[in-house]
Amino acid sequence: MDTAFLRPPLARNLVYDEFAVLHPTSYPFHTLRYLRCNPMYSRPLLTTSPASPSRGLTQRMAALPDVDDFFWEKDPTPILDTIDAPIHLKNLSSKELKQLADEVRSEIAFIMSRKCQPCGPGRSVVELTIAIHYVFNAPMDKILWDAGQHAYAHKILTGRRSQFHTIKQKNGLSGFTSRFESEYDPFGAGHGCNSLSAGLGMAVARDINGRKNRIVTVISNWTTMAGQVYEAMGHAGFLDSNMVVILNDSCHTLLPKADGRPKMSVNAFSSALSKIQSSKGFRRFREAAKGLAKWFGKGMHEFAAKVDEYARGMIGPHGATLFEELGLYYIGPIDGRNIDDLICVLKEVASLDSTGPVLVHVITGTESDTDGNIRSEITASEEGPSNSSNDLLKFLETGLSRTYNDCFVEALTAEAENDKRIVVVHGGMGMDRSLRLFQSRFPDRFFDLGIAEQHAVTFSAGLACGGLKPFCIIPSTFLQRAYDQIVEDVDMQKIPVRFAITNAGLVGSEGPTNSGPFDITFMSCLPNMIVMSPSNEDELIDMVATAAMIEDKPICFRYPRGAIVGTSGTLTYGNPLEIGKGEILVEGKEIAFLGYGEVVQRCLIARSLLSNFGIQATVANARFCKPLDIDLIRTLCQQHSFLITVEEGTVGGFGSHVSQFISLDGLLDGRIKWRPIVLPDRYIEHASLAEQLDLAGLTAHHIAATALTLLGRHRDALLLMK
């Protein structure tokens, strides 16, 4: 085979170790994008996977071009260059504001494309962001956002442009709004649906303290899937506090209309109507009419209210009366790309006092991540590769970028082929592309509920009570919101819901907002829950089969976000595991590592490092946190002087369960000394996954150094960490 094309000028070999785990962010800037845009690299890359005595220690090598300097020329931004704070927007003309929007959109695309990250949601709200800051006076006026990507333009316009290239990097800007980062961020955005509740609290505090500042919250149509939003709207309507709620409508829905009706659009009539609705004259006339109707008595007042509701319902968009019923004055829809209309309506809304909560419906639509021939890695993988690079993209997606999610969905799909009772319930923000395999294969057995995680858990319980086998797939960080339902609706009733907890542990650039360090602790304390975690993709496949087999109690398994350690690439059906049984992978003496989950791979690497110092350690794979393999733990304690438990979770998790058992069993009264390695008792800020593991003390070198320290070899431990 001719491999000359693998050696272009400036090419270099990239070896991905256990910490990079082939994560997409490990590639040089523009590598994937460069390869997509250059037909000469459309053929598959050669990879080597040398044999290794321990499964999972395989290294993969690929020749990729060094394209750090490959990029189009940055567009000039003369107006944006003059903006250091929102106050600088006030004197710009309408024409200059429109040019500024183009420059901000270009800036976001330029920075995010270098990071191979999507920027469509951030680019779609540029005009809305500019209009908000043009009309309102932050930071005195409080502007709250629900989603991190929607706040990109907000960050650029509030004095953080010079740091924007560091977003999601170690010691750089957060991918979300953060109270610790800027005075222009009054509240942190993370899981969505919290801005309205927080904004209402700020509005009430403002009223009690006698202040006059305005509260503006920006929510999205994704947010409106969460019940907390409607709870906050109902409360806002009841309190009648002054606040502005802006619904950023991207016209995206989880439940497309079966009749194929077009999505809501904005025309000249709706634009004119929105301006009338927001005008002082109309609002004052409406308030005067209410007062007059009250003067005539309760019956006339109720009749007038119904006439007002029906009239606004007939001329307004479908569903507008829902917000009116909750007590919010509805204005819209408004074209989210028309700065003049946005400013006109927002000025009218901001100029009125004692009007109660107002909801402004803005249609921003969707915007692709495409800028010329440049696409983000995520967008390209979802849209499908271009014809000129089909082979390479297929290799990158199924080879270098193969993830635990891919293996899980393939295994679940295989199980569902043989078991018609298996259904999938998905909760959380967005959906991993891997799940589309199951969705396309079994559309009637797949339910995507978005960020309605509480409903997802109880809905799954109902499916189980109806005789089905629900797999409830929710990222660890979003599962936290549904904990009450897990306790009351699932575990307490011993209903066999199967929880697949994705994005467990550290997640790199998404930071603490989207990381999942707590699920081991809060799931393993439940009396009826079976809690397990695979050490590699093969065990993940087995755990899917195990979960499908259990029908008398709930069960959960967690797996990380990154790429898999190593796989043959062929899917085999899983073999159900014996509940509560682990295994010893490599036997040694004096010191034993008992790992839970994917950290077992790092324990194996730590053992290899220790062998250089003449130490042969035992490595065991726990598999189960609950129930524990007590026979395995007793054996390790009786045959070793030191037992080290390792997990990518917080205090109170696997190690705490082990210590509880060995202390009650009297094993700590003998020669064994136990030490836990867990995540530190603090939030690990955004950085690369390797940097986060280093900050957390969970790399293979840290594990090996802990063993050396226990053995009294402090000098060797220091040498190892250099």
Side-chain angles (χ1 to χ4, degrees):
M1 177 181 177
D2 179 18
T3 60
F5 71 96
L6 290 177
R7 298 184 295 275
L10 300 179
R12 66 181 177 187
N13 285 336
L14 301 178
V15 180
Y16 300 88
D17 59 17
E18 72 276 11
F19 303 120
V21 289
L22 308 181
H23 197 272
T25 57
S26 300
Y27 295 121
F29 287 154
H30 326 318
T31 297
L32 295 176
R33 186 177 298 108
Y34 179 81
L35 293 173
R36 288 190 178 94
C37 300
N38 286 270
M40 69 174 291
Y41 300 114
S42 62
R43 299 167 65 181
L45 299 177
L46 292 180
T47 60
T48 59
S49 297
S52 174
S54 299
R55 183 175 60 186
L57 293 181
T58 305
Q59 287 185 330
R60 194 184 302 253
M61 183 179 295
L64 297 176
D66 187 353
V67 291
D68 289 1
D69 297 325
F70 175 80
F71 209 72
W72 79 95
E73 185 178 353
K74 185 177 182 295
D75 294 331
T77 54
I79 296 182
L80 181 58
D81 293 341
T82 67
I83 305 298
D84 293 324
I87 195 172
H88 296 151
L89 299 174
K90 305 296 184 180
N91 295 325
L92 296 181
S93 66
S94 175
K95 182 179 179 181
E96 290 172 326
L97 289 173
K98 293 174 183 177
Q99 182 178 340
L100 175 63
D102 293 336
E103 293 178 9
V104 172
R105 185 175 285 106
S106 175
E107 183 82 3
I108 294 174
F110 179 82
I111 298 297
M112 301 312 293
S113 60
R114 288 181 66 91
K115 297 175 174 293
C116 294
Q117 294 180 7
C119 61
R123 284 155 53 97
S124 66
V125 295
V126 169
E127 286 84 358
L128 175 60
T129 306
I130 292 174
I132 290 173
H133 280 294
Y134 183 86
V135 173
F136 297 96
N137 301 307
M140 182 180 69
D141 292 337
K142 307 301 181 184
I143 301 172
L144 291 79
W145 302 81
D146 252 354
Q149 285 193 33
H150 294 161
Y152 285 174
H154 166 78
K155 286 177 179 282
I156 290 175
L157 296 174
T158 53
R160 287 170 277 184
R161 182 193 178 192
S162 62
Q163 298 174 284
F164 192 68
H165 69 282
T166 69
I167 194 166
K168 297 186 178 183
Q169 294 179 3
K170 182 180 179 182
N171 298 324
L173 292 182
S174 170
F176 308 89
T177 56
S178 171
R179 296 173 63 242
F180 307 107
E181 185 177 285
S182 172
E183 62 177 342
Y184 291 96
D185 294 350
F187 202 79
H191 294 169
C193 84
N194 64 351
S195 67
L196 214 161
S197 297
L200 179 58
M202 293 178 186
V204 172
R206 173 204 60 199
D207 296 340
I208 292 176
N209 293 323
R211 295 194 295 266
K212 297 296 183 181
N213 62 307
R214 302 175 184 88
I215 308 297
V216 182
T217 69
V218 185
I219 64 176
S220 69
N221 51 316
W222 282 96
T223 296
T224 56
M225 294 181 292
Q228 183 180 349
V229 168
Y230 300 101
E231 294 172 2
M233 285 184 183
H235 195 198
F238 173 76
L239 295 176
D240 204 33
S241 294
N242 291 346
M243 65 183 300
V244 180
V245 180
I246 299 177
L247 174 57
N248 166 30
D249 189 351
S250 64
C251 301
H252 185 280
T253 176
L254 289 175
L255 304 172
K257 293 180 174 61
D259 58 6
R261 286 182 292 172
K263 296 175 181 177
M264 184 182 300
S265 60
V266 182
N267 51 40
F269 175 74
S270 63
S271 178
L273 183 62
S274 298
K275 294 177 183 178
I276 293 173
Q277 289 174 312
S278 63
S279 66
K280 289 182 181 180
F282 181 81
R283 294 294 299 275
R284 286 172 177 168
F285 171 77
R286 189 169 181 262
E287 293 300 319
K290 284 183 179 180
L292 183 62
K294 288 182 180 179
W295 185 78
F296 280 105
K298 181 178 179 181
M300 179 58 71
H301 175 67
E302 291 178 351
F303 176 76
K306 288 182 179 180
V307 171
D308 178 66
E309 178 182 336
Y310 286 132
R312 286 168 56 77
M314 290 182 66
I315 63 176
H318 179 71
T321 53
L322 169 64
F323 303 111
E324 293 279 348
E325 289 291 337
L326 290 170
L328 281 73
Y329 181 76
Y330 177 89
I331 299 173
I334 305 168
D335 185 358
R337 299 301 178 89
N338 190 320
I339 287 185
D340 293 333
D341 284 356
L342 287 169
I343 291 177
C344 177
V345 171
L346 292 179
K347 274 187 174 180
E348 292 289 351
V349 171
S351 66
L352 294 175
D353 295 325
S354 302
T355 58
V358 177
L359 185 135
V360 182
H361 187 181
V362 178
I363 307 293
T364 57
T366 56
E367 181 162 334
S368 70
D369 297 297
T370 305
D371 190 1
N373 292 324
I374 306 300
R375 294 186 296 179
S376 74
E377 187 270 335
I378 295 178
T379 302
S381 67
E382 290 181 351
E383 293 176 353
S386 61
N387 293 332
S388 64
S389 55
N390 248 339
D391 293 335
L392 177 59
L393 284 181
K394 182 176 180 181
F395 173 79
L396 288 173
E397 290 178 3
T398 60
L400 289 177
S401 299
R402 186 171 172 81
T403 66
Y404 278 95
N405 260 328
D406 294 328
C407 290
F408 163 68
V409 175
E410 290 172 8
L412 185 58
T413 303
E415 291 287 339
E417 292 280 0
N418 298 325
D419 192 337
K420 306 302 181 183
R421 294 191 295 156
I422 290 179
V423 295
V424 165
V425 178
H426 174 262
M429 182 70 78
M431 183 177 70
D432 189 275
R433 61 178 175 80
S434 303
L435 285 171
R436 294 177 183 172
L437 170 65
F438 192 100
Q439 185 183 35
S440 61
R441 181 67 183 85
F442 307 107
D444 296 334
R445 293 155 63 182
F446 183 89
F447 305 92
D448 185 15
L449 304 182
I451 60 174
E453 298 89 359
Q454 295 169 318
H455 169 62
V457 171
T458 305
F459 177 64
S460 299
L463 291 172
C465 290
L468 298 178
K469 293 184 176 181
F471 278 76
C472 187
I473 306 171
I474 302 180
S476 176
T477 185
F478 291 102
L479 191 64
Q480 296 162 187
R481 289 205 293 219
Y483 191 59
D484 180 63
Q485 285 69 31
I486 296 173
V487 175
E488 297 285 338
D489 300 339
V490 176
D491 191 76
M492 190 176 293
Q493 302 182 54
K494 299 184 71 172
I495 296 176
V497 174
R498 299 145 186 89
F499 293 99
I501 306 174
T502 68
N503 290 10
L506 301 175
V507 294
S509 62
E510 296 299 326
T513 304
N514 282 3
S515 65
F518 307 114
D519 58 88
I520 304 176
T521 301
F522 67 68
M523 295 298 276
S524 60
C525 68
L526 300 177
N528 297 315
M529 187 72 66
I530 298 174
V531 183
M532 54 186 180
S533 182
S535 64
N536 55 36
E537 72 284 350
D538 293 326
E539 282 191 345
L540 176 58
I541 295 172
D542 291 340
M543 288 183 181
V544 172
T546 305
M549 176 190 69
I550 300 297
E551 297 196 57
D552 60 345
K553 61 177 61 178
I555 187 170
C556 70
F557 54 94
R558 71 184 321 240
Y559 56 89
R561 176 186 190 179
I564 57 179
V565 177
T567 182
S568 60
T570 58
L571 174 67
T572 58
Y573 287 96
N575 298 312
L577 301 172
E578 183 179 354
I579 300 298
K581 288 297 179 183
E583 62 174 346
I584 295 178
L585 300 178
V586 185
E587 292 191 3
K589 57 183 180 180
E590 196 168 2
I591 196 162
F593 295 116
L594 178 58
Y596 178 69
E598 198 264 344
V599 294
V600 170
Q601 304 301 325
R602 276 170 258 157
C603 291
L604 290 169
I605 298 170
R607 181 185 189 274
S608 177
L609 294 172
L610 290 173
S611 65
N612 297 327
F613 295 91
I615 300 171
Q616 300 300 320
T618 295
V619 177
N621 175 18
R623 287 179 176 161
F624 291 86
C625 178
K626 190 171 188 178
L628 288 171
D629 188 344
I630 59 177
D631 293 332
L632 172 64
I633 295 173
R634 281 176 179 152
T635 299
L636 295 176
C637 290
Q638 292 167 359
Q639 297 180 359
H640 301 83
S641 300
F642 300 96
L643 174 65
I644 300 176
T645 57
V646 190
E647 62 187 302
E648 198 169 313
T650 59
V651 175
F654 172 70
S656 297
H657 281 260
V658 172
S659 67
Q660 173 81 357
F661 166 71
I662 61 179
S663 61
L664 293 177
D665 203 52
L667 295 171
L668 283 178
D669 301 338
R671 61 192 289 261
I672 189 68
K673 295 179 178 62
W674 167 74
R675 294 291 186 276
I677 297 180
V678 299
L679 290 174
D681 192 24
R682 68 176 187 274
Y683 294 102
I684 307 297
E685 294 299 327
H686 52 278
S688 70
L689 182 58
E691 290 170 333
Q692 282 191 322
L693 290 172
D694 186 59
L695 290 170
L698 268 173
T699 67
H701 284 72
H702 284 95
I703 296 171
T706 300
L708 289 170
T709 301
L710 287 176
L711 295 172
R713 301 174 63 169
H714 302 283
R715 182 180 180 84
D716 291 336
L718 291 174
L719 290 174
L720 185 63
M721 293 305 299
K722 284 187 177 180

